[in-house]
Amino acid sequence: MKADTLRTWLNYLRTTDRLAVIDRRVSLEYELAAVAKHFDGKKAALFTNVEDYEIPVVAGAASTRQMFAEACETTDYGLVQKFAEAAENPRPCLPVDRSAAPVKENVILKDIDLMETLPIPVHHEEDAGNYITAGLFIVRDPETRKQNVSIHRLQVAGKDKFTALILARHTHHLHRQAEERGEPLECAIVVGADPVTMLASQASTPFGVDEMEIASALREKPLPVVRCETVDIDVPAHAEIVIEARILPHVREPEGPFGEFPKYYGPRSDKEVVQVSAITHRNNPIFHTIIPAGYEHLLLGSIPREASLIDMVRQTVPTVRAVHMTPGGTCRYHAVISIKKTAEGQGKNAIFAAFANTFDIKHVFVVDEDVNIFDPEEVEWALATRFQAERDLIVVHGAEGSKLDPSADKGVSSKMGFDCTIPLDSEPFKYRRIKIPGYEEIELEDYLSSNQTAFDFGE
Ligand code: MN
């Protein structure tokens, strides 16, 4: 497949004119991120001349919905459904020998110096330092031996350690259990994974599901994995770079501030410390960075959330057509839901289902199936012409929201739902969309004069 590895994927982007190679020397601090952000949502940016580093940096490896769909060998419209099916049906990975694992081509066990070895950028103005933003963070449950994969921001906090933001989810749970035993939690940080594995890592799953097994399901063939050198963790064998480490028990050091997905800074506070024990990498490795709040970051968040959301809405409104977590809503706070309404009141039930899906969802817009939910102008038009606050608005105060939403009160948030569906008993002509017959079929070239300057306007 196109996205077997990061390299096969970048090659594919190059053949389809979606890889920008930047060979002018750039600074690791701000300049790399500034240039990369200009390519965000258009092309992957490959920096081949980053300060004094030999290692190139790629940003925006997949920064459009279309790119993620192509990586998953499906269409824009099939992507969320394919992801939902993979998340429901994980497949085992394929353990391989070290000799079959390119990530073992170079093994560094002593004198570890993160900044000496790796071009780890500084992204935003108020960021506390150099951050790994595209690291798959893998840990193992010692009881079940199941692994967990997620992405945590990692601030370089010394030659061989990071401080990490580990929110209260699966990694956090396993770390707290290890901490109660007074033990460190072994981990591996994978930099330079293929976009399918990156996407799978963001699945909303119950505790105990290995996200790399979801990657295997999405790939429709097992992801080859190899055991680490100094920790009992399996990592993708074709990863560019793997950092082996341990989260220390009962140690906390300052981390942040850091520019986050809502386009505001997450604050500085004492966080977990990750002590590095080894680095392995391919020959001529490529370092991957995600520009925070860029489309790569937002889409990695939204596609798996949409898969979970559509499943949830379908339980109450079986005729749900599609859902979209919009970029303007940080791909987390705003959900647009398209339904084919068959009974009055379904618009409101879809709103309740969305609120119940995740605490992040703050504003929900439900529209009829004729509205293109990927076009913000269409959604606004439905709000403008099919919605009346008196009958179509739901407001709930004091619910749990996102702690990263600065307008929420320590994560306590109001929620609003907009039912923009047409009442079923309305007079049909009132809501009939205007249409010019034949518009869709017009091929403009057929109508253009071959000589565009031939017409004489006269004097
Ligand atoms: Mn998990």
Side-chain angles (χ1 to χ4, degrees), residues 273-309:
V273 173
V274 178
Q275 181 72 48
V276 177
S277 54
I279 300 173
T280 70
H281 63 82
R282 296 182 67 148
N283 292 334
N284 308 309
I286 302 165
F287 187 88
H288 180 198
T289 197
I290 291 174
I291 307 302
Y295 284 110
E296 182 174 34
H297 187 187
L298 294 176
L299 287 164
L300 280 169
S302 69
I303 294 160
R305 280 174 172 77
E306 288 164 359
S308 163
L309 175 61

PDB file of all heavy atoms in Angstrom, residues 273-309:
ATOM      1  N   VAL A 273       8.113  12.745  34.311  1.00  0.00           N
ATOM      2  CA  VAL A 273       9.455  12.784  33.729  1.00  0.00           C
ATOM      3  C   VAL A 273       9.730  11.453  33.023  1.00  0.00           C
ATOM      4  O   VAL A 273       9.486  10.377  33.579  1.00  0.00           O
ATOM      5  CB  VAL A 273      10.515  13.053  34.819  1.00  0.00           C
ATOM      6  CG1 VAL A 273      11.923  12.924  34.248  1.00  0.00           C
ATOM      7  CG2 VAL A 273      10.304  14.442  35.421  1.00  0.00           C
ATOM      8  N   VAL A 274      10.226  11.554  31.775  1.00  0.00           N
ATOM      9  CA  VAL A 274      10.476  10.380  30.938  1.00  0.00           C
ATOM     10  C   VAL A 274      11.991  10.267  30.726  1.00  0.00           C
ATOM     11  O   VAL A 274      12.592  11.117  30.071  1.00  0.00           O
ATOM     12  CB  VAL A 274       9.738  10.530  29.583  1.00  0.00           C
ATOM     13  CG1 VAL A 274      10.018   9.343  28.681  1.00  0.00           C
ATOM     14  CG2 VAL A 274       8.234  10.701  29.812  1.00  0.00           C
ATOM     15  N   GLN A 275      12.592   9.218  31.298  1.00  0.00           N
ATOM     16  CA  GLN A 275      14.049   9.036  31.274  1.00  0.00           C
ATOM     17  C   GLN A 275      14.436   8.108  30.130  1.00  0.00           C
ATOM     18  O   GLN A 275      13.984   6.961  30.071  1.00  0.00           O
ATOM     19  CB  GLN A 275      14.479   8.434  32.629  1.00  0.00           C
ATOM     20  CG  GLN A 275      15.956   8.203  32.777  1.00  0.00           C
ATOM     21  CD  GLN A 275      16.727   9.513  32.948  1.00  0.00           C
ATOM     22  OE1 GLN A 275      16.336  10.348  33.750  1.00  0.00           O
ATOM     23  NE2 GLN A 275      17.794   9.690  32.182  1.00  0.00           N
ATOM     24  N   VAL A 276      15.290   8.594  29.237  1.00  0.00           N
ATOM     25  CA  VAL A 276      15.618   7.856  28.014  1.00  0.00           C
ATOM     26  C   VAL A 276      16.740   6.848  28.264  1.00  0.00           C
ATOM     27  O   VAL A 276      17.751   7.165  28.919  1.00  0.00           O
ATOM     28  CB  VAL A 276      16.026   8.840  26.891  1.00  0.00           C
ATOM     29  CG1 VAL A 276      16.446   8.095  25.628  1.00  0.00           C
ATOM     30  CG2 VAL A 276      14.881   9.805  26.598  1.00  0.00           C
ATOM     31  N   SER A 277      16.604   5.636  27.718  1.00  0.00           N
ATOM     32  CA  SER A 277      17.639   4.613  27.890  1.00  0.00           C
ATOM     33  C   SER A 277      18.285   4.195  26.568  1.00  0.00           C
ATOM     34  O   SER A 277      19.364   3.593  26.574  1.00  0.00           O
ATOM     35  CB  SER A 277      17.039   3.374  28.568  1.00  0.00           C
ATOM     36  OG  SER A 277      15.905   2.906  27.863  1.00  0.00           O
ATOM     37  N   ALA A 278      17.664   4.482  25.440  1.00  0.00           N
ATOM     38  CA  ALA A 278      18.256   4.112  24.153  1.00  0.00           C
ATOM     39  C   ALA A 278      17.575   4.871  23.020  1.00  0.00           C
ATOM     40  O   ALA A 278      16.437   5.325  23.167  1.00  0.00           O
ATOM     41  CB  ALA A 278      18.110   2.598  23.900  1.00  0.00           C
ATOM     42  N   ILE A 279      18.308   5.027  21.917  1.00  0.00           N
ATOM     43  CA  ILE A 279      17.720   5.539  20.669  1.00  0.00           C
ATOM     44  C   ILE A 279      18.112   4.556  19.569  1.00  0.00           C
ATOM     45  O   ILE A 279      19.281   4.174  19.462  1.00  0.00           O
ATOM     46  CB  ILE A 279      18.245   6.948  20.305  1.00  0.00           C
ATOM     47  CG1 ILE A 279      17.918   7.968  21.412  1.00  0.00           C
ATOM     48  CG2 ILE A 279      17.660   7.409  18.959  1.00  0.00           C
ATOM     49  CD1 ILE A 279      18.552   9.341  21.197  1.00  0.00           C
ATOM     50  N   THR A 280      17.143   4.114  18.781  1.00  0.00           N
ATOM     51  CA  THR A 280      17.487   3.324  17.595  1.00  0.00           C
ATOM     52  C   THR A 280      16.913   4.051  16.394  1.00  0.00           C
ATOM     53  O   THR A 280      15.907   4.753  16.499  1.00  0.00           O
ATOM     54  CB  THR A 280      16.939   1.877  17.655  1.00  0.00           C
ATOM     55  OG1 THR A 280      15.528   1.896  17.517  1.00  0.00           O
ATOM     56  CG2 THR A 280      17.303   1.196  18.962  1.00  0.00           C
ATOM     57  N   HIS A 281      17.574   3.916  15.245  1.00  0.00           N
ATOM     58  CA  HIS A 281      17.031   4.580  14.061  1.00  0.00           C
ATOM     59  C   HIS A 281      17.509   3.910  12.783  1.00  0.00           C
ATOM     60  O   HIS A 281      18.531   3.224  12.750  1.00  0.00           O
ATOM     61  CB  HIS A 281      17.362   6.080  14.060  1.00  0.00           C
ATOM     62  CG  HIS A 281      18.822   6.421  13.987  1.00  0.00           C
ATOM     63  ND1 HIS A 281      19.515   6.443  12.812  1.00  0.00           N
ATOM     64  CD2 HIS A 281      19.709   6.767  14.962  1.00  0.00           C
ATOM     65  CE1 HIS A 281      20.775   6.806  13.059  1.00  0.00           C
ATOM     66  NE2 HIS A 281      20.926   6.993  14.358  1.00  0.00           N
ATOM     67  N   ARG A 282      16.751   4.158  11.722  1.00  0.00           N
ATOM     68  CA  ARG A 282      17.130   3.676  10.399  1.00  0.00           C
ATOM     69  C   ARG A 282      18.371   4.419   9.926  1.00  0.00           C
ATOM     70  O   ARG A 282      18.701   5.479  10.442  1.00  0.00           O
ATOM     71  CB  ARG A 282      15.995   3.943   9.396  1.00  0.00           C
ATOM     72  CG  ARG A 282      14.730   3.196   9.684  1.00  0.00           C
ATOM     73  CD  ARG A 282      13.700   3.492   8.619  1.00  0.00           C
ATOM     74  NE  ARG A 282      14.105   2.941   7.328  1.00  0.00           N
ATOM     75  CZ  ARG A 282      13.265   2.480   6.400  1.00  0.00           C
ATOM     76  NH1 ARG A 282      11.956   2.514   6.616  1.00  0.00           N
ATOM     77  NH2 ARG A 282      13.701   1.991   5.276  1.00  0.00           N
ATOM     78  N   ASN A 283      19.034   3.893   8.923  1.00  0.00           N
ATOM     79  CA  ASN A 283      20.063   4.669   8.229  1.00  0.00           C
ATOM     80  C   ASN A 283      19.381   5.876   7.585  1.00  0.00           C
ATOM     81  O   ASN A 283      18.274   5.758   7.070  1.00  0.00           O
ATOM     82  CB  ASN A 283      20.744   3.822   7.156  1.00  0.00           C
ATOM     83  CG  ASN A 283      21.568   2.695   7.766  1.00  0.00           C
ATOM     84  OD1 ASN A 283      22.022   2.793   8.907  1.00  0.00           O
ATOM     85  ND2 ASN A 283      21.731   1.620   7.003  1.00  0.00           N
ATOM     86  N   ASN A 284      20.061   7.016   7.615  1.00  0.00           N
ATOM     87  CA  ASN A 284      19.499   8.253   7.055  1.00  0.00           C
ATOM     88  C   ASN A 284      18.048   8.474   7.506  1.00  0.00           C
ATOM     89  O   ASN A 284      17.138   8.546   6.676  1.00  0.00           O
ATOM     90  CB  ASN A 284      19.551   8.235   5.523  1.00  0.00           C
ATOM     91  CG  ASN A 284      20.944   7.918   5.019  1.00  0.00           C
ATOM     92  OD1 ASN A 284      21.908   8.551   5.444  1.00  0.00           O
ATOM     93  ND2 ASN A 284      21.048   6.926   4.151  1.00  0.00           N
ATOM     94  N   PRO A 285      17.834   8.574   8.812  1.00  0.00           N
ATOM     95  CA  PRO A 285      16.451   8.665   9.300  1.00  0.00           C
ATOM     96  C   PRO A 285      15.812  10.007   8.958  1.00  0.00           C
ATOM     97  O   PRO A 285      16.497  10.987   8.676  1.00  0.00           O
ATOM     98  CB  PRO A 285      16.619   8.538  10.818  1.00  0.00           C
ATOM     99  CG  PRO A 285      17.973   9.104  11.083  1.00  0.00           C
ATOM    100  CD  PRO A 285      18.811   8.696   9.903  1.00  0.00           C
ATOM    101  N   ILE A 286      14.492  10.013   8.976  1.00  0.00           N
ATOM    102  CA  ILE A 286      13.706  11.243   8.763  1.00  0.00           C
ATOM    103  C   ILE A 286      12.992  11.539  10.080  1.00  0.00           C
ATOM    104  O   ILE A 286      12.343  10.652  10.642  1.00  0.00           O
ATOM    105  CB  ILE A 286      12.675  11.048   7.632  1.00  0.00           C
ATOM    106  CG1 ILE A 286      13.380  10.660   6.330  1.00  0.00           C
ATOM    107  CG2 ILE A 286      11.822  12.303   7.446  1.00  0.00           C
ATOM    108  CD1 ILE A 286      12.441  10.104   5.262  1.00  0.00           C
ATOM    109  N   PHE A 287      13.121  12.778  10.556  1.00  0.00           N
ATOM    110  CA  PHE A 287      12.429  13.184  11.787  1.00  0.00           C
ATOM    111  C   PHE A 287      11.088  13.805  11.401  1.00  0.00           C
ATOM    112  O   PHE A 287      11.012  14.635  10.498  1.00  0.00           O
ATOM    113  CB  PHE A 287      13.281  14.197  12.561  1.00  0.00           C
ATOM    114  CG  PHE A 287      12.717  14.549  13.915  1.00  0.00           C
ATOM    115  CD1 PHE A 287      13.022  13.808  15.042  1.00  0.00           C
ATOM    116  CD2 PHE A 287      11.849  15.633  14.039  1.00  0.00           C
ATOM    117  CE1 PHE A 287      12.479  14.127  16.284  1.00  0.00           C
ATOM    118  CE2 PHE A 287      11.299  15.957  15.273  1.00  0.00           C
ATOM    119  CZ  PHE A 287      11.623  15.207  16.397  1.00  0.00           C
ATOM    120  N   HIS A 288      10.047  13.394  12.081  1.00  0.00           N
ATOM    121  CA  HIS A 288       8.703  13.905  11.782  1.00  0.00           C
ATOM    122  C   HIS A 288       8.261  14.848  12.894  1.00  0.00           C
ATOM    123  O   HIS A 288       8.378  14.520  14.075  1.00  0.00           O
ATOM    124  CB  HIS A 288       7.736  12.702  11.690  1.00  0.00           C
ATOM    125  CG  HIS A 288       6.311  13.073  11.398  1.00  0.00           C
ATOM    126  ND1 HIS A 288       5.266  12.214  11.627  1.00  0.00           N
ATOM    127  CD2 HIS A 288       5.746  14.206  10.896  1.00  0.00           C
ATOM    128  CE1 HIS A 288       4.122  12.782  11.272  1.00  0.00           C
ATOM    129  NE2 HIS A 288       4.391  14.006  10.835  1.00  0.00           N
ATOM    130  N   THR A 289       7.801  16.041  12.516  1.00  0.00           N
ATOM    131  CA  THR A 289       7.192  16.927  13.507  1.00  0.00           C
ATOM    132  C   THR A 289       5.800  17.315  13.035  1.00  0.00           C
ATOM    133  O   THR A 289       5.545  17.444  11.831  1.00  0.00           O
ATOM    134  CB  THR A 289       8.058  18.184  13.774  1.00  0.00           C
ATOM    135  OG1 THR A 289       7.637  18.780  14.999  1.00  0.00           O
ATOM    136  CG2 THR A 289       7.961  19.207  12.653  1.00  0.00           C
ATOM    137  N   ILE A 290       4.877  17.457  13.978  1.00  0.00           N
ATOM    138  CA  ILE A 290       3.521  17.923  13.676  1.00  0.00           C
ATOM    139  C   ILE A 290       3.429  19.358  14.165  1.00  0.00           C
ATOM    140  O   ILE A 290       3.764  19.633  15.326  1.00  0.00           O
ATOM    141  CB  ILE A 290       2.465  17.042  14.387  1.00  0.00           C
ATOM    142  CG1 ILE A 290       2.432  15.639  13.774  1.00  0.00           C
ATOM    143  CG2 ILE A 290       1.086  17.686  14.321  1.00  0.00           C
ATOM    144  CD1 ILE A 290       1.524  14.651  14.511  1.00  0.00           C
ATOM    145  N   ILE A 291       3.031  20.279  13.292  1.00  0.00           N
ATOM    146  CA  ILE A 291       2.851  21.656  13.732  1.00  0.00           C
ATOM    147  C   ILE A 291       1.561  21.716  14.557  1.00  0.00           C
ATOM    148  O   ILE A 291       0.479  21.446  14.021  1.00  0.00           O
ATOM    149  CB  ILE A 291       2.760  22.635  12.528  1.00  0.00           C
ATOM    150  CG1 ILE A 291       3.954  22.454  11.575  1.00  0.00           C
ATOM    151  CG2 ILE A 291       2.648  24.078  13.015  1.00  0.00           C
ATOM    152  CD1 ILE A 291       5.317  22.654  12.197  1.00  0.00           C
ATOM    153  N   PRO A 292       1.669  22.032  15.845  1.00  0.00           N
ATOM    154  CA  PRO A 292       0.466  22.018  16.685  1.00  0.00           C
ATOM    155  C   PRO A 292      -0.618  22.949  16.133  1.00  0.00           C
ATOM    156  O   PRO A 292      -0.311  24.041  15.634  1.00  0.00           O
ATOM    157  CB  PRO A 292       0.976  22.512  18.035  1.00  0.00           C
ATOM    158  CG  PRO A 292       2.423  22.126  18.036  1.00  0.00           C
ATOM    159  CD  PRO A 292       2.874  22.349  16.620  1.00  0.00           C
ATOM    160  N   ALA A 293      -1.852  22.484  16.171  1.00  0.00           N
ATOM    161  CA  ALA A 293      -3.032  23.215  15.697  1.00  0.00           C
ATOM    162  C   ALA A 293      -3.087  23.312  14.168  1.00  0.00           C
ATOM    163  O   ALA A 293      -4.010  23.912  13.623  1.00  0.00           O
ATOM    164  CB  ALA A 293      -3.162  24.605  16.317  1.00  0.00           C
ATOM    165  N   GLY A 294      -2.111  22.725  13.479  1.00  0.00           N
ATOM    166  CA  GLY A 294      -2.169  22.663  12.013  1.00  0.00           C
ATOM    167  C   GLY A 294      -3.133  21.559  11.597  1.00  0.00           C
ATOM    168  O   GLY A 294      -3.643  20.800  12.426  1.00  0.00           O
ATOM    169  N   TYR A 295      -3.368  21.465  10.277  1.00  0.00           N
ATOM    170  CA  TYR A 295      -4.359  20.494   9.798  1.00  0.00           C
ATOM    171  C   TYR A 295      -3.958  19.052  10.092  1.00  0.00           C
ATOM    172  O   TYR A 295      -4.808  18.196  10.329  1.00  0.00           O
ATOM    173  CB  TYR A 295      -4.616  20.684   8.306  1.00  0.00           C
ATOM    174  CG  TYR A 295      -5.486  21.881   8.030  1.00  0.00           C
ATOM    175  CD1 TYR A 295      -4.974  23.022   7.432  1.00  0.00           C
ATOM    176  CD2 TYR A 295      -6.822  21.874   8.411  1.00  0.00           C
ATOM    177  CE1 TYR A 295      -5.779  24.129   7.197  1.00  0.00           C
ATOM    178  CE2 TYR A 295      -7.631  22.977   8.183  1.00  0.00           C
ATOM    179  CZ  TYR A 295      -7.105  24.098   7.579  1.00  0.00           C
ATOM    180  OH  TYR A 295      -7.902  25.184   7.359  1.00  0.00           O
ATOM    181  N   GLU A 296      -2.653  18.755  10.072  1.00  0.00           N
ATOM    182  CA  GLU A 296      -2.232  17.386  10.386  1.00  0.00           C
ATOM    183  C   GLU A 296      -2.669  17.023  11.809  1.00  0.00           C
ATOM    184  O   GLU A 296      -3.232  15.964  12.061  1.00  0.00           O
ATOM    185  CB  GLU A 296      -0.710  17.275  10.249  1.00  0.00           C
ATOM    186  CG  GLU A 296      -0.186  15.872  10.521  1.00  0.00           C
ATOM    187  CD  GLU A 296       1.308  15.747  10.245  1.00  0.00           C
ATOM    188  OE1 GLU A 296       2.041  16.727  10.466  1.00  0.00           O
ATOM    189  OE2 GLU A 296       1.725  14.649   9.838  1.00  0.00           O
ATOM    190  N   HIS A 297      -2.425  17.927  12.730  1.00  0.00           N
ATOM    191  CA  HIS A 297      -2.802  17.741  14.131  1.00  0.00           C
ATOM    192  C   HIS A 297      -4.327  17.630  14.260  1.00  0.00           C
ATOM    193  O   HIS A 297      -4.857  16.709  14.882  1.00  0.00           O
ATOM    194  CB  HIS A 297      -2.268  18.942  14.923  1.00  0.00           C
ATOM    195  CG  HIS A 297      -2.430  18.831  16.410  1.00  0.00           C
ATOM    196  ND1 HIS A 297      -2.138  19.874  17.253  1.00  0.00           N
ATOM    197  CD2 HIS A 297      -2.851  17.825  17.206  1.00  0.00           C
ATOM    198  CE1 HIS A 297      -2.366  19.505  18.505  1.00  0.00           C
ATOM    199  NE2 HIS A 297      -2.807  18.264  18.497  1.00  0.00           N
ATOM    200  N   LEU A 298      -5.042  18.579  13.635  1.00  0.00           N
ATOM    201  CA  LEU A 298      -6.498  18.627  13.786  1.00  0.00           C
ATOM    202  C   LEU A 298      -7.158  17.399  13.172  1.00  0.00           C
ATOM    203  O   LEU A 298      -8.062  16.804  13.766  1.00  0.00           O
ATOM    204  CB  LEU A 298      -7.045  19.907  13.149  1.00  0.00           C
ATOM    205  CG  LEU A 298      -6.608  21.214  13.836  1.00  0.00           C
ATOM    206  CD1 LEU A 298      -7.139  22.426  13.067  1.00  0.00           C
ATOM    207  CD2 LEU A 298      -7.081  21.272  15.284  1.00  0.00           C
ATOM    208  N   LEU A 299      -6.689  16.982  11.984  1.00  0.00           N
ATOM    209  CA  LEU A 299      -7.311  15.833  11.320  1.00  0.00           C
ATOM    210  C   LEU A 299      -7.019  14.533  12.057  1.00  0.00           C
ATOM    211  O   LEU A 299      -7.877  13.646  12.121  1.00  0.00           O
ATOM    212  CB  LEU A 299      -6.843  15.743   9.870  1.00  0.00           C
ATOM    213  CG  LEU A 299      -7.439  16.824   8.954  1.00  0.00           C
ATOM    214  CD1 LEU A 299      -6.644  16.929   7.661  1.00  0.00           C
ATOM    215  CD2 LEU A 299      -8.905  16.528   8.660  1.00  0.00           C
ATOM    216  N   LEU A 300      -5.823  14.405  12.623  1.00  0.00           N
ATOM    217  CA  LEU A 300      -5.529  13.213  13.428  1.00  0.00           C
ATOM    218  C   LEU A 300      -6.511  13.122  14.591  1.00  0.00           C
ATOM    219  O   LEU A 300      -6.879  12.031  15.026  1.00  0.00           O
ATOM    220  CB  LEU A 300      -4.091  13.272  13.967  1.00  0.00           C
ATOM    221  CG  LEU A 300      -2.993  12.866  12.985  1.00  0.00           C
ATOM    222  CD1 LEU A 300      -1.622  13.219  13.548  1.00  0.00           C
ATOM    223  CD2 LEU A 300      -3.065  11.370  12.693  1.00  0.00           C
ATOM    224  N   GLY A 301      -6.940  14.282  15.081  1.00  0.00           N
ATOM    225  CA  GLY A 301      -7.930  14.280  16.163  1.00  0.00           C
ATOM    226  C   GLY A 301      -9.333  14.025  15.663  1.00  0.00           C
ATOM    227  O   GLY A 301     -10.119  13.327  16.307  1.00  0.00           O
ATOM    228  N   SER A 302      -9.669  14.581  14.484  1.00  0.00           N
ATOM    229  CA  SER A 302     -11.082  14.566  14.096  1.00  0.00           C
ATOM    230  C   SER A 302     -11.537  13.252  13.478  1.00  0.00           C
ATOM    231  O   SER A 302     -12.646  12.796  13.771  1.00  0.00           O
ATOM    232  CB  SER A 302     -11.381  15.719  13.140  1.00  0.00           C
ATOM    233  OG  SER A 302     -10.748  15.512  11.900  1.00  0.00           O
ATOM    234  N   ILE A 303     -10.743  12.639  12.634  1.00  0.00           N
ATOM    235  CA  ILE A 303     -11.228  11.453  11.900  1.00  0.00           C
ATOM    236  C   ILE A 303     -11.607  10.318  12.871  1.00  0.00           C
ATOM    237  O   ILE A 303     -12.713   9.772  12.789  1.00  0.00           O
ATOM    238  CB  ILE A 303     -10.202  11.021  10.824  1.00  0.00           C
ATOM    239  CG1 ILE A 303     -10.110  12.130   9.756  1.00  0.00           C
ATOM    240  CG2 ILE A 303     -10.581   9.683  10.192  1.00  0.00           C
ATOM    241  CD1 ILE A 303      -8.838  12.099   8.922  1.00  0.00           C
ATOM    242  N   PRO A 304     -10.733   9.957  13.833  1.00  0.00           N
ATOM    243  CA  PRO A 304     -11.145   8.925  14.789  1.00  0.00           C
ATOM    244  C   PRO A 304     -12.338   9.355  15.652  1.00  0.00           C
ATOM    245  O   PRO A 304     -13.194   8.532  15.990  1.00  0.00           O
ATOM    246  CB  PRO A 304      -9.907   8.734  15.661  1.00  0.00           C
ATOM    247  CG  PRO A 304      -8.777   9.202  14.800  1.00  0.00           C
ATOM    248  CD  PRO A 304      -9.337  10.351  14.020  1.00  0.00           C
ATOM    249  N   ARG A 305     -12.442  10.640  15.968  1.00  0.00           N
ATOM    250  CA  ARG A 305     -13.588  11.111  16.752  1.00  0.00           C
ATOM    251  C   ARG A 305     -14.877  11.017  15.943  1.00  0.00           C
ATOM    252  O   ARG A 305     -15.939  10.701  16.476  1.00  0.00           O
ATOM    253  CB  ARG A 305     -13.367  12.562  17.196  1.00  0.00           C
ATOM    254  CG  ARG A 305     -12.465  12.680  18.401  1.00  0.00           C
ATOM    255  CD  ARG A 305     -12.149  14.143  18.718  1.00  0.00           C
ATOM    256  NE  ARG A 305     -11.435  14.248  19.980  1.00  0.00           N
ATOM    257  CZ  ARG A 305     -10.148  13.971  20.122  1.00  0.00           C
ATOM    258  NH1 ARG A 305      -9.432  13.589  19.083  1.00  0.00           N
ATOM    259  NH2 ARG A 305      -9.573  14.072  21.304  1.00  0.00           N
ATOM    260  N   GLU A 306     -14.775  11.313  14.660  1.00  0.00           N
ATOM    261  CA  GLU A 306     -15.959  11.207  13.803  1.00  0.00           C
ATOM    262  C   GLU A 306     -16.430   9.757  13.728  1.00  0.00           C
ATOM    263  O   GLU A 306     -17.631   9.488  13.725  1.00  0.00           O
ATOM    264  CB  GLU A 306     -15.646  11.740  12.397  1.00  0.00           C
ATOM    265  CG  GLU A 306     -15.496  13.260  12.378  1.00  0.00           C
ATOM    266  CD  GLU A 306     -14.830  13.775  11.115  1.00  0.00           C
ATOM    267  OE1 GLU A 306     -14.465  12.972  10.245  1.00  0.00           O
ATOM    268  OE2 GLU A 306     -14.660  15.005  11.005  1.00  0.00           O
ATOM    269  N   ALA A 307     -15.485   8.819  13.692  1.00  0.00           N
ATOM    270  CA  ALA A 307     -15.848   7.397  13.641  1.00  0.00           C
ATOM    271  C   ALA A 307     -16.618   7.001  14.892  1.00  0.00           C
ATOM    272  O   ALA A 307     -17.624   6.289  14.838  1.00  0.00           O
ATOM    273  CB  ALA A 307     -14.591   6.537  13.473  1.00  0.00           C
ATOM    274  N   SER A 308     -16.148   7.470  16.037  1.00  0.00           N
ATOM    275  CA  SER A 308     -16.817   7.155  17.298  1.00  0.00           C
ATOM    276  C   SER A 308     -18.174   7.867  17.378  1.00  0.00           C
ATOM    277  O   SER A 308     -19.173   7.295  17.824  1.00  0.00           O
ATOM    278  CB  SER A 308     -15.892   7.585  18.442  1.00  0.00           C
ATOM    279  OG  SER A 308     -16.587   7.671  19.638  1.00  0.00           O
ATOM    280  N   LEU A 309     -18.211   9.118  16.907  1.00  0.00           N
ATOM    281  CA  LEU A 309     -19.444   9.914  16.986  1.00  0.00           C
ATOM    282  C   LEU A 309     -20.551   9.327  16.105  1.00  0.00           C
ATOM    283  O   LEU A 309     -21.705   9.225  16.535  1.00  0.00           O
ATOM    284  CB  LEU A 309     -19.149  11.362  16.577  1.00  0.00           C
ATOM    285  CG  LEU A 309     -20.348  12.305  16.500  1.00  0.00           C
ATOM    286  CD1 LEU A 309     -21.041  12.425  17.858  1.00  0.00           C
ATOM    287  CD2 LEU A 309     -19.918  13.690  15.998  1.00  0.00           C
TER     288      LEU A 309
END
